[in-house]
Amino acid sequence: MKFAEFIVRFLAERNVKDAFGIPGGVILELIYAMENSGLIKPHLMFHEQSASFAAAGYAQYNNTLGVAYATRGPGITNMLTGIADAYCDSIPIMFITAHNTLQTNHKKRIEADQEIDIVKVCQPIIKYAVRVDDIDSAENEFVKCCYHALNGRKGPVLIDIYSPLFGMERKDFKFDTDTCPIGLGLEDKDIVAEYVFAKLRKAKSPVILTGDGIHQANGTKELREYAEKTAIPVLSSRCSADVMADSDLYFGYIGSHGTRYANFILSKADLIISIGNRLSFPSSSESYRLLLEDKEIIQIDIDKTELKFTDDKQKKSFFADAKLVLEALTEKGAVSKQWDCWLSRCRAIKEKLQECDLLSVNDTIGELMQNVSGTIPFVCDVGNNEFWCSQSYVRFKLCNRILYSKSFGSLGSSVAKSIGVFYKTRKAVICFIGDQGLQMNIQELQFISNHEIPIKIVVLNNEQSGMIKDRQKERFQGRFLHTTFESGYSCPDIKKIARAYELRYLHVEKVLDQEEKYLFQDPIPLICEVSVNREEGLRPSLPKGRKIQDMFPDLPIDIWNYLESL
């Protein structure tokens, strides 16, 4: 068996059925092995960055392994943004590239055309990277790459293979080893559960605060079961709202642009049980310091380094698996005391505030979201458009899986990620993107058109770079630069773009008529342009130094006093 054939079989046995990239001379042997196997389909993208994002969508949907490949030199360096995105968002992707020259003179700037030491280049933004120059280490390194991608806090890995190795024959390749000499050393789930249980006995207003770590631990089912059994209010980070947004026990996402009622509820909690949430408040933040004054925090995370960054006296940290801890907590059951009064306060806060920050664009996005089945995934881009989507998603209590470029914030990633999500699910996908983000990887409309993939691309078009314009308005007294038509920004005619790529087009002002609803539900590729008023910005926001519940725009004083009294 050739080494390239071993790679294909090994990946296929780990549920990889699709890989994304662009051919190059050094990688051809692997691509042909994929195509000939009938096990993994290599997909030709139109830019390597998009290939990395497609692999990210494929992997991020349910935390299984994604694969992207690229040729040497500029091929793999084009993937660096996707590698960084996967690293920051803990997405398990294997990036495969190759080189055709063995390094001999490390002091030379260029030893061979198009060759680069990609392992050194990507070292700060990858979980594990290795250069393989001999067949004896190739198999073991490949196994290690898979292990590192999928175990502990997941993340991207890269293997750079000496190209002639792909064609080398061996009879003794092994497929059954998924072990790695590095143990995680997790804390005992029952000890963690006992500590949480003891703290809950004393708590008067506890909340569970979730993050994307719940998804990565495959613990969404366990979280819901535990919350429903104990009736503890659940808050989340913005990008993990899909864990429980359809539940009556869910009370929004926190943050400087969070759900206003979520921030209010967090401010009134006396115990925060953080599960899979990084607690990424800046340690120097006055708002964060005020938040911690009268609270206890229990943080449960699979990454030890995250536990150190918020080392406060009120916080107890546990290096543990979220899913296992939730299972242990559910077995222990509810504590003897109930929180009916606390739940009533949470519901009163939500009822008073859930409509106050919504814009007209939220109604349109909400209608589009509600017009499809709950099994259809959503993929969001970066900018004001993603915050509007988050607000609409939570307001209408949806249950669809919703993906973002969270920590790294890769503008223009959602079209390619939607392609990856489609190949993982084989279902239609709704992609939300702004007029600026669309142009970042617009070439992948050709991929969607060629293969007739049922992706609905919703372009929220405010004809400007809205998020940066908002910041310029605050910091530069309304003097705009490169964010409006007048200051240098521009966008093409979206309808003409759809025609050029032979895609159906739909323009939505506010609501869909019956014919438009049918078109939006039809499993065909479609560009749906939504015109957004230029004045609709991002709200609410948390001004520097204020308490987390004291967001802008300011609440009327009578409502503020009422909420503070609860």
Side-chain angles (χ1 to χ4, degrees):
M1 177 185 294
K2 293 181 179 180
F3 182 53
E5 295 169 337
F6 159 77
I7 292 174
V8 173
R9 269 191 57 186
F10 189 93
L11 291 173
E13 290 186 7
R14 280 141 191 84
N15 256 345
V16 176
K17 297 179 181 178
D18 300 272
F20 307 89
I22 295 178
V26 293
I27 206 81
L28 287 177
E29 189 95 30
L30 177 63
I31 301 171
Y32 275 88
M34 289 180 181
E35 184 70 25
N36 295 338
S37 70
L39 300 172
I40 297 178
K41 179 68 176 175
H43 296 285
L44 170 64
M45 305 296 288
F46 288 86
H47 195 288
E48 288 93 351
Q49 185 182 103
S50 293
S52 66
F53 287 142
Y58 188 92
Q60 191 178 4
Y61 180 79
N62 62 357
N63 296 299
T64 54
L65 188 66
V67 173
Y69 56 86
T71 192
R72 60 183 178 171
I76 189 61
T77 58
N78 277 345
M79 285 188 166
L80 286 174
T81 299
I83 293 172
D85 186 78
Y87 184 71
C88 291
D89 284 354
S90 305
I91 303 173
I93 305 174
M94 178 177 287
F95 292 89
I96 305 175
T97 186
H99 54 275
N100 208 28
T101 304
L102 296 176
Q103 290 180 324
T104 58
N105 189 340
H106 296 277
K107 293 183 178 181
K108 291 184 70 174
R109 177 176 292 191
I110 301 171
E111 193 162 0
D113 288 348
Q114 287 197 315
E115 294 283 9
I116 189 170
D117 191 339
I118 191 61
V119 171
K120 288 183 179 177
V121 170
C122 70
Q123 205 73 56
I125 54 170
I126 204 156
K127 190 175 177 186
Y128 183 76
V130 64
R131 178 185 173 102
V132 176
D133 287 333
D134 63 89
I135 194 66
D136 292 332
S137 64
E139 177 187 0
N140 185 52
E141 288 293 352
F142 199 84
V143 172
K144 283 170 68 176
C145 279
C146 273
Y147 181 88
H148 282 292
L150 292 166
N151 286 272
R153 184 175 181 177
K154 298 178 175 68
V157 295
L158 179 140
I159 185 164
D160 182 15
I161 300 168
Y162 182 45
S163 185
L165 300 186
F166 287 125
M168 285 193 179
E169 297 265 3
R170 282 186 68 171
K171 295 181 180 179
D172 57 345
F173 283 122
K174 298 180 179 64
F175 295 89
D176 57 353
T177 172
D178 263 330
T179 59
C180 189
I182 304 170
L184 289 176
L186 297 174
E187 298 187 54
D188 185 276
K189 60 183 174 62
D190 294 314
I191 293 176
V192 180
E194 185 59 44
Y195 183 89
V196 174
F197 191 79
K199 289 296 181 181
L200 280 170
R201 284 182 178 276
K202 301 177 182 179
K204 296 180 180 179
S205 50
V207 295
I208 297 172
L209 176 61
T210 72
D212 194 54
I214 289 291
H215 283 307
Q216 294 166 25
N218 296 315
T220 54
K221 175 176 169 286
E222 288 74 14
L223 173 69
R224 185 178 288 266
E225 287 178 356
Y226 179 64
E228 290 174 350
K229 192 167 190 175
T230 58
I232 300 175
V234 176
L235 306 174
S236 75
S237 63
R238 183 175 61 83
C239 297
S240 58
D242 57 354
V243 173
M244 282 190 68
D246 61 330
S247 169
D248 289 337
L249 289 168
Y250 179 72
F251 290 91
Y253 55 87
I254 66 167
S256 57
H257 295 293
T259 313
R260 193 186 292 255
Y261 54 83
N263 279 9
F264 247 103
I265 290 168
L266 186 67
S267 74
K268 294 179 178 295
D270 63 358
L271 174 64
I272 301 171
I273 306 170
S274 171
I275 306 179
N277 187 300
R278 295 186 296 119
L279 296 176
S280 58
F281 309 101
S283 58
S284 60
S285 166
E286 183 71 8
S287 301
Y288 176 60
R289 188 188 65 76
L290 292 170
L291 171 69
L292 292 180
E293 284 180 346
D294 57 351
K295 303 184 192 326
E296 285 193 271
I297 298 175
I298 303 171
Q299 186 182 13
I300 300 164
D301 203 285
I302 199 72
D303 186 346
K304 275 186 178 179
T305 59
E306 296 293 353
L307 299 173
K308 296 176 182 177
F309 282 121
T310 50
D311 191 17
D312 300 289
K313 293 180 181 179
Q314 301 97 321
K315 182 169 73 73
K316 176 70 173 176
S317 299
F318 290 103
F319 176 47
D321 184 291
K323 180 177 181 178
L324 298 180
V325 170
L326 285 165
E327 288 174 345
L329 281 168
T330 303
E331 286 179 11
K332 293 187 74 66
V335 296
S336 56
K337 67 181 295 183
Q338 298 297 313
W339 295 286
D340 290 344
C341 180
W342 169 231
L343 266 177
S344 296
R345 290 165 62 199
C346 292
R347 286 170 178 149
I349 293 169
K350 180 178 179 179
E351 183 178 358
K352 200 71 174 176
L353 295 177
Q354 65 181 352
E355 302 287 345
C356 71
D357 295 306
L358 298 179
L359 304 167
S360 61
V361 68
N362 292 120
D363 293 329
T364 306
I365 295 172
E367 186 186 24
L368 292 172
M369 286 181 164
Q370 293 178 93
N371 196 49
V372 297
S373 162
T375 63
I376 300 298
F378 303 146
V379 182
C380 294
D381 209 75
V382 172
N384 283 354
N385 58 89
E386 65 176 312
F387 289 91
W388 295 331
C389 287
S390 299
Q391 290 170 329
S392 303
Y393 183 93
V394 170
R395 172 65 185 90
F396 293 101
K397 300 181 69 171
L398 301 173
C399 62
N400 308 64
R401 185 77 168 94
I402 183 167
L403 306 183
Y404 300 86
S405 173
K406 302 185 294 295
S407 300
F408 201 57
S410 298
L411 184 68
S413 62
S414 64
V415 171
K417 281 191 175 184
S418 297
I419 292 171
V421 171
F422 167 76
Y423 280 106
K424 171 58 70 172
T425 64
R426 299 290 169 165
K427 295 178 180 177
V429 181
I430 311 299
C431 167
F432 292 94
I433 195 166
D435 49 284
Q436 186 174 27
L438 178 67
Q439 296 183 75
M440 299 289 278
N441 278 298
I442 199 169
Q443 73 282 341
E444 300 312 323
L445 296 180
Q446 186 66 32
F447 186 101
I448 293 170
S449 178
N450 277 353
H451 302 284
E452 298 183 343
I453 300 176
I455 295 175
K456 304 288 188 295
I457 301 170
V458 179
V459 183
L460 298 169
N461 189 358
N462 59 1
E463 300 182 328
Q464 59 188 353
S465 180
M467 179 175 281
I468 305 303
K469 178 192 169 187
D470 289 345
R471 295 186 182 182
Q472 290 176 348
K473 188 174 183 179
E474 294 174 7
R475 294 176 57 188
F476 298 96
Q477 295 77 48
R479 178 174 173 263
F480 302 127
L481 181 63
H482 299 167
T483 53
T484 64
F485 280 161
E486 295 78 14
S487 66
Y489 177 79
S490 63
C491 65
D493 185 318
I494 304 298
K495 186 174 183 179
K496 291 180 179 178
I497 291 293
R499 186 182 306 138
Y501 285 100
E502 298 182 330
L503 295 170
R504 295 288 295 275
Y505 172 84
L506 173 65
H507 184 265
V508 175
E509 290 287 351
K510 190 172 178 65
V511 296
L512 297 171
D513 61 30
Q514 287 302 315
E515 184 178 345
E516 290 170 338
K517 284 183 178 181
Y518 176 78
L519 184 60
F520 199 75
Q521 293 168 346
D522 195 14
I524 58 170
L526 172 74
I527 291 180
C528 174
E529 182 179 6
V530 177
S531 296
V532 181
N533 189 309
R534 291 190 184 190
E535 300 307 313
E536 297 211 347
L538 182 58
R539 55 181 293 181
S541 62
L542 180 62
K544 184 177 180 180
R546 287 195 187 185
K547 294 180 179 180
I548 61 166
Q549 72 271 31
D550 190 10
M551 305 182 80
F552 181 83
D554 296 332
L555 292 173
I557 190 64
D558 58 327
I559 295 178
W560 172 266
N561 289 337
Y562 165 73
L563 294 171
E564 285 286 271
S565 70
L566 288 175

